[in-house]
Amino acid sequence: MTVELTINGETNAFAVDPRTPLLDVLRDHCRLTGAKSVCREGFCGACIVIINGEAAPSCLRPVGMLDGSEIVTIEGLAPFEAPNPLQQAMLDHDVVQCGMCFPGMVMTLTKFLETRPAPTRNEIKAALVGNVCRCTGYERIVDAVMSLDDIRKVCAP
Ligand code: FES
Ligand code: FES
């Protein structure tokens, strides 16, 4: 099957088994390795990307159901050498350790902050219920988000 996807603003056709998870197309066909392959069961959130405007686990989305979709990965948010304000805040608060959870966290928080531009600490924690981190205390992640001066700046990719 040929599936057309627009990924980070670039449209391409992929000849793949329609059951192939979007995660594998991103990592293996596009070499976009920001989304991580961890549980592959929709539990950990490490593979979350933005699919048609919603943050969603790419391991659970067969590409055969995504023809014509728009995808944003962490590579599409900001250049590696110029992190966006949310990414910089997380770096400044030493949130990133092994880094496996980090791209998924950023994608979840990016969409969350679009609708809740001035969240409380508890709202941030609730937003991250689908993102598992094995290394870092979640308090520092919340501190990073709360530190943003103009939280709206992080929103639109
Ligand atoms: S790898 Fe997709 S949710 Fe864990
Ligand atoms: S920094 Fe290691 S899993 Fe989150």
Side-chain angles (χ1 to χ4, degrees):
M1 177 179 181
T2 299
V3 178
E4 190 173 278
L5 299 172
T6 301
I7 302 171
N8 299 334
E10 186 176 316
T11 303
N12 283 297
F14 299 89
V16 288
D17 184 321
R19 297 168 297 180
T20 307
L22 173 63
L23 176 62
D24 293 347
V25 171
L26 295 173
R27 292 182 59 86
D28 300 339
H29 294 254
C30 305
R31 299 290 180 228
L32 294 171
T33 56
K36 298 294 185 275
S37 178
V38 182
C39 72
R40 299 183 70 87
E41 294 180 347
F43 172 72
C44 74
C47 67
I48 287 178
V49 298
I50 297 171
I51 304 172
N52 297 324
E54 299 293 332
S58 56
C59 68
L60 291 185
R61 298 300 176 93
V63 286
M65 299 177 71
L66 295 175
D67 190 31
S69 292
E70 297 211 11
I71 316 294
V72 180
T73 71
I74 192 153
E75 291 90 346
L77 289 186
F80 179 77
E81 62 279 3
N84 73 16
L86 173 61
Q87 293 167 317
Q88 188 61 53
M90 293 178 95
L91 291 169
D92 292 344
H93 285 78
D94 291 328
V95 168
V96 184
Q97 294 192 25
C98 82
M100 291 297 276
C101 69
F102 180 64
M105 292 250 185
V106 170
M107 302 312 279
T108 295
L109 288 169
T110 295
K111 291 307 299 181
F112 167 66
L113 292 172
E114 285 182 10
T115 54
R116 294 294 298 165
T120 66
R121 294 184 73 88
N122 281 343
E123 287 171 336
I124 297 166
K125 291 176 185 176
L128 290 173
V129 71
N131 292 82
V132 176
C133 177
R134 296 165 182 80
C135 309
T136 311
Y138 280 82
E139 290 301 321
R140 279 192 284 176
I141 298 168
V142 177
D143 290 345
V145 176
M146 294 296 288
S147 77
L148 291 166
D149 289 335
D150 180 359
I151 224 158
R152 272 172 279 265
K153 284 189 298 195
V154 308
C155 292

